[in-house]
């Protein structure tokens, strides 16, 4: 049941943390590719658990958030994109997704997304683009905007969100860059 899933999540996070530590303190290129592949596999397992049992996200968000955020600083495009998929699953939860997004904003998620949209990789830019919509969007529930302040948007602006949007607009207009430009507009 849920206890087995929680234990699986803890084990996945532990393995991810070990891979991150080795990548950050190792200068061996030979094992780097194997570690990145293993990290992607672990993230995909985590994604599958979160998709099947979204109620577990809230129980493990505090321990999961830092290793997943660290994935965004790994050089591998595939690791970054898979970590962004994980983040998207976390913040797409109907009940607590907005709260999870606020938590992510407190651990430098907005500047990390800023770095992603400035990446030369189209794949990374396109994986990061949907988060800009989340940062700028209305705080809605049951389809109607709420009248309270929008913490995420305020954090986005405070973390240099305007310059992130401007950088998106500086992309050369092409089929590859359409999505990031349209999101910024």
């Amino acid at each position: 049941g849920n206890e087995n899933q929680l234990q699986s999540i803890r084990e996945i996070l532990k393995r991810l943390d070990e891979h991150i530590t080795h990548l950050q303190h190792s200068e061996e290129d030979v094992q780097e590719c194997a570690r990145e592949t293993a990290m992607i596999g672990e993230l995909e397992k985590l994604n599958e658990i979160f998709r099947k049992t979204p109620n577990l996200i809230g129980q493990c968000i505090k321990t999961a958030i830092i290793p997943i955020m660290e994935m965004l600083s790994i050089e591998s495009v595939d690791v970054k994109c898979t970590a962004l998929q994980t983040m998207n699953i976390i913040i797409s939860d109907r009940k607590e997704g907005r709260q999870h997004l606020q938590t992510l904003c407190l651990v430098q998620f907005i500047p990390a997304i800023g770095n992603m949209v400035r990446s030369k990789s189209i794949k990374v830019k396109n994986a990061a683009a949907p988060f800009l919509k989340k940062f700028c969007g209305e705080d809605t529930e049951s389809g109607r905007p709420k009248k309270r302040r929008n913490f995420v948007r305020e954090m986005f602006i405070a973390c240099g969100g305007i310059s992130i949007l401007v950088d998106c607009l500086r992309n050369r207009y092409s089929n590859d860059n359409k999505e990031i430009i349209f999101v910024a507009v």
Side-chain angles (χ1 to χ4, degrees), residues 102-118:
Q102 290 178 7
T103 302
L104 285 168
C105 289
L106 295 173
V107 293
Q108 300 296 306
F109 187 54
I110 294 169
I113 291 297
N115 290 337
M116 303 290 124
V117 299
R118 293 178 183 114

Side-chain angles (χ1 to χ4, degrees), residues 8-153:
S8 294
I9 291 169
R10 286 185 204 106
E11 291 170 8
I12 290 169
L13 293 173
K14 183 179 178 189
R15 288 190 297 269
L16 283 172
D17 194 47
E18 289 169 3
H19 289 305
I20 292 166
T21 302
H22 284 285
L23 281 174
Q24 289 174 341
H25 301 290
S26 160
E27 300 196 14
E28 301 172 34
D29 286 340
V30 180
Q31 288 187 334
E32 191 169 308
C33 186
R35 286 203 182 278
E36 289 171 358
T37 303
M39 291 167 78
I40 292 166
E42 296 295 340
L43 281 169
E44 287 172 346
K45 289 178 198 171
L46 191 63
N47 291 351
E48 189 61 28
I49 292 171
F50 284 166
R51 275 189 203 101
K52 287 182 179 174
T53 51
N55 59 314
L56 294 180
I57 295 171
Q59 295 178 39
C60 58
I61 188 82
K62 287 180 176 68
T63 54
I65 217 158
I66 300 302
I68 298 168
M69 283 294 297
E70 288 180 344
M71 301 285 163
L72 300 178
S73 65
I74 303 291
E75 290 296 315
S76 165
V77 167
D78 292 330
V79 170
K80 285 179 185 178
C81 290
T82 309
L84 287 170
Q85 287 174 359
T86 306
M87 297 295 199
N88 198 29
I89 292 167
I90 289 170
I91 65 172
S92 295
D93 180 48
R94 289 185 183 270
K95 290 182 182 173
E96 297 182 30
R98 196 76 187 162
Q99 181 64 43
H100 298 325
L101 181 58
Q102 290 178 7
T103 302
L104 285 168
C105 289
L106 295 173
V107 293
Q108 300 296 306
F109 187 54
I110 294 169
I113 291 297
N115 290 337
M116 303 290 124
V117 299
R118 293 178 183 114
S119 170
K120 293 197 185 320
S121 166
I122 299 300
K123 188 175 177 183
V124 171
K125 284 182 188 179
N126 288 337
F131 293 98
L132 295 177
K133 289 180 186 176
K134 299 271 189 186
F135 297 150
C136 298
E138 286 292 319
D139 194 3
T140 59
E141 200 171 273
S142 68
R144 290 187 303 211
K146 291 191 170 188
K147 297 292 182 199
R148 65 178 189 209
R149 58 185 275 242
N150 189 325
F151 175 80
V152 173
R153 188 179 311 138

